[in-house]
Amino acid sequence: MNNVKIVIVGGGTAGVSAATRARRINEDAEITIIEMSNYVAYPISALPAFICGKIKDKNGIISDYEEKLANIYKINVIKNSEVTKIDDNEKKVVIKNLKTNTTSEKSYDKLILANGSKFGVSYKNNCPNFFKITNLDDAIAIRNYIDKTSARNITIIGENYFALILANAFVNSGFIVNIISEENKLFKELDDEFSFLLKEEFSRSGTRVFLNTTIDRYIKNENSVIYKLELSNYSIDTQVVIYCKDLKPNTHLAYQIDIPVGDNGGILVNENMETKKQDIFAVGSVAESFNLITKENEISYFLGNAQFQGRVAGSVAGGVPLEFKGIIGTKFLKFNKLSIGITGLSENTAKEKGFDISSLTIFNGNYERFISGSAKIHIKVIIDNKTRKILGAEICGKGEGVDKRLDVFATAIYSSLTVDDLVNLNLCYTPDISTYKDPINVIGMVAANKLDGISNSVTLSEINFDEDLLILDIRTKIEYQKEHLLNSLWIPLDEIRKRIGEIPKEKIIYIYGHVGLRGYVAERILKGAGFQKVYNINGGITSIKISENMK
Ligand SMILES: Cc1cc2nc3c(=O)[nH]c(=O)nc-3n(C[C@H](O)[C@H](O)[C@H](O)COP(=O)(O)OP(=O)(O)OC[C@H]3O[C@@H](n4cnc5c(N)ncnc54)[C@H](O)[C@@H]3O)c2cc1C
């Protein structure tokens, strides 16, 4: 078994990870990667920077990875070759050489399908400036076209993560960018307020974002070059169109031999990444992944999971047992100064999946206010009311430390931590990296207070304005004069004890401060004074303003 023949279809993230792991644990295995493009083992996340010219030469991407596969890992790589058929009885694959158009066969003991996914193209055409982007070959084609024509006006069709990282790269390189999508928001895994903030940031950069928009017509010149797009309401000029939607696993090989495919369109696998067919594995974005929170399958189109799944399959195929536990879905994006991300479930998804949840928002400094450059981090957590476990977190901010906090949440969710654990996490502190209660600790406290009934926090949308209520603004005079909710009663927090008689006890009181902390203190003072129906508006006027701007 030591000289097992392992054949891997696809030399992308998952395939290369499988191959190198198999080699590290089995020196005698014969390992072959069959890749249909001209390149293997390059960092696909470098493609946006390459297309936009930030990475000048493709050699800056391909580096010497391929040589390392041959020299260090003793892995055979067959490029420009497509696996067109699997014969699982004879245990062999049919390979078509895409340069010579000839076919050959290769036998295997273990077959790993790592053939990824691709963007569907609904608009079929021969236009020289209409592209999709799945691999380095596609990226080179786009870059060559841009260099040749000096195109500066780019249209990206799609609103998903990949469309946005591409848009980000173009914007940062000074291109004019249009994003067009039929969906009603960008990065739809995010809850509406985070997606809204991201869209605002794109719009501020001059990017034109067209949501709820279909392309009625592609207008071309005599050389089939698209120069205008007719949209639902108007038309826009463009020089390049990149199609980034309808990402789908490449399951045609699996269908040929009746390997079961799941409801999400990916190949079904167990925790060893084995399909239902003996000795055939599937890894990366061609396979379905088990979500540890929902306990349902989904497809992960992200690098980290592809890499880990490849490692597991390579290990098992090479003879050492290993399991892939599942995913929680961590996604992070940077646009200009805005960092934004999600891990676990959004509020919308948690509700859809039937969880009984609380959702809490804070705006906390990334580090102490007295250090220059301190910036707010906006955090929302989703808590399971029954278990107090964290189901999800969304986060954004323009300062440092946003990614660090998202990673802590990802670790907390993976480890099934509760809000009480968040309060107790002993995180690092000096004034220029955190606040003395880290934002993670703070949101743990806010959530625990809510679950323990110490604070009744509500969002603006939960307030029924037909009730007999009073909105109480407890901020300073300067803050109140700058902006406030109409018909609110203004009593600054430091006057509340002596002016408590001005607040009608029989009404429902909704308090707001700037971000929620002073509101909580006021809520506790009123409750201590015998007020029964007192609520603190979560996230204060900062949250209220985001909700109002979204209308
Ligand atoms: C432009 C771009 C930027 C990205 N940036 C990020 C990022 O910043 N962060 C992140 O988490 N994810 C990112 N991703 C997603 C990430 O690349 C994928 O999640 C990951 O590559 C999936 O790995 P995979 O091995 O399953 O598929 P792939 O890496 O796509 O590899 C599949 C390979 O199989 C080959 N193949 C397909 N069919 C056959 C066949 N029949 N025979 C032979 N070969 C075949 C393909 O040519 C391809 O090389 C990005 C993706 C793109 C397109």
Side-chain angles (χ1 to χ4, degrees), residues 8-16 34-37 39-40 42 44-48 51 81-84 114-117 119 133-135 161-162 165-166 250 252-253 283-287 300-304 306-307 330 332:
I8 299 164
V9 185
T13 312
V16 171
I34 304 165
E35 166 57 46
M36 65 189 283
S37 77
Y39 305 95
V40 286
Y42 59 87
I44 199 162
S45 51
L47 298 191
I51 295 170
S81 298
E82 180 182 358
V83 172
T84 54
N115 49 328
S117 50
F119 293 107
I133 163 97
T134 328
N135 57 30
Y161 178 84
F162 305 105
I165 51 175
L166 207 52
N250 293 321
H252 55 287
L253 290 173
V283 290
S285 55
V286 75
S300 164
Y301 293 104
F302 291 85
L303 271 171
Q307 197 278 125
T330 306
F332 181 81

Side-chain angles (χ1 to χ4, degrees), residues 75-305:
I75 290 167
N76 313 317
V77 176
I78 306 175
K79 291 192 298 182
N80 299 303
S81 298
E82 180 182 358
V83 172
T84 54
K85 209 168 161 218
I86 303 168
D87 181 340
D88 57 320
N89 293 320
E90 296 291 319
K91 293 189 111 176
K92 63 186 183 192
V93 292
V94 177
I95 306 166
K96 180 178 174 190
N97 183 314
L98 299 174
K99 289 226 154 130
T100 58
N101 239 345
T102 52
T103 55
S104 59
E105 291 179 350
K106 176 127 196 85
S107 62
Y108 65 82
D109 296 315
K110 306 279 178 190
L111 179 67
I112 301 179
L113 298 176
N115 49 328
S117 50
K118 62 169 180 276
F119 293 107
V121 176
S122 58
Y123 176 65
K124 297 258 188 299
N125 64 73
N126 294 317
C127 305
N129 62 340
F130 185 95
F131 301 94
K132 62 177 177 48
I133 163 97
T134 328
N135 57 30
L136 182 52
D137 282 334
D138 298 333
I140 292 171
I142 303 174
R143 171 73 180 274
N144 285 347
Y145 183 85
I146 290 174
D147 286 351
K148 197 173 84 195
T149 61
S150 303
R152 302 308 292 167
N153 187 338
I154 314 289
T155 298
I156 294 171
I157 302 176
E159 73 305 318
N160 58 33
Y161 178 84
F162 305 105
L164 297 180
I165 51 175
L166 207 52
N168 173 38
F170 277 117
V171 171
N172 285 330
S173 300
F175 288 80
I176 298 165
V177 179
N178 314 296
I179 299 174
I180 302 177
S181 172
E182 290 165 14
E183 301 285 341
N184 62 0
K185 66 185 204 188
L186 295 181
F187 199 169
K188 64 178 177 222
E189 289 87 345
L190 297 174
D191 279 324
D192 294 353
E193 66 272 34
F194 285 86
S195 172
F196 170 77
L197 292 170
L198 181 61
K199 177 171 176 275
E200 291 245 289
E201 197 62 22
F202 268 104
S203 301
R204 256 194 293 276
S205 75
T207 309
R208 292 189 299 175
V209 181
F210 302 93
L211 297 175
N212 298 307
T213 302
T214 50
I215 300 175
D216 292 342
R217 204 153 74 93
Y218 294 79
I219 303 175
K220 299 173 237 173
N221 68 14
E222 62 284 6
N223 298 319
S224 296
V225 173
I226 302 166
Y227 64 93
K228 210 178 258 303
L229 301 173
E230 256 180 33
L231 308 180
S232 327
N233 301 324
Y234 30 76
S235 56
I236 58 165
D237 293 337
T238 191
Q239 292 168 306
V240 170
V241 179
I242 305 178
Y243 193 89
C244 282
K245 56 182 271 203
D246 307 330
L247 199 50
K248 297 256 163 33
N250 293 321
T251 41
H252 55 287
L253 290 173
Y255 276 117
Q256 281 175 5
I257 53 165
D258 294 328
I259 295 179
V261 166
D263 294 341
N264 304 291
I267 299 175
L268 291 174
V269 289
N270 64 15
E271 60 282 5
N272 300 125
M273 305 313 297
E274 291 161 324
T275 68
K276 295 263 165 41
K277 288 267 176 190
Q278 202 177 357
D279 295 326
I280 302 184
F281 300 73
V283 290
S285 55
V286 75
E288 298 211 347
S289 300
F290 179 70
N291 185 304
L292 292 166
I293 312 166
T294 61
K295 314 286 183 212
E296 292 172 7
N297 274 353
E298 60 185 71
I299 298 179
S300 164
Y301 293 104
F302 291 85
L303 271 171
N305 301 315

Side-chain angles (χ1 to χ4, degrees), residues 340-357:
I340 189 160
I342 177 167
T343 181
L345 307 185
S346 67
E347 181 175 358
N348 285 341
T349 314
K351 283 180 178 162
E352 263 169 44
K353 299 287 176 196
F355 286 96
D356 170 21
I357 59 154

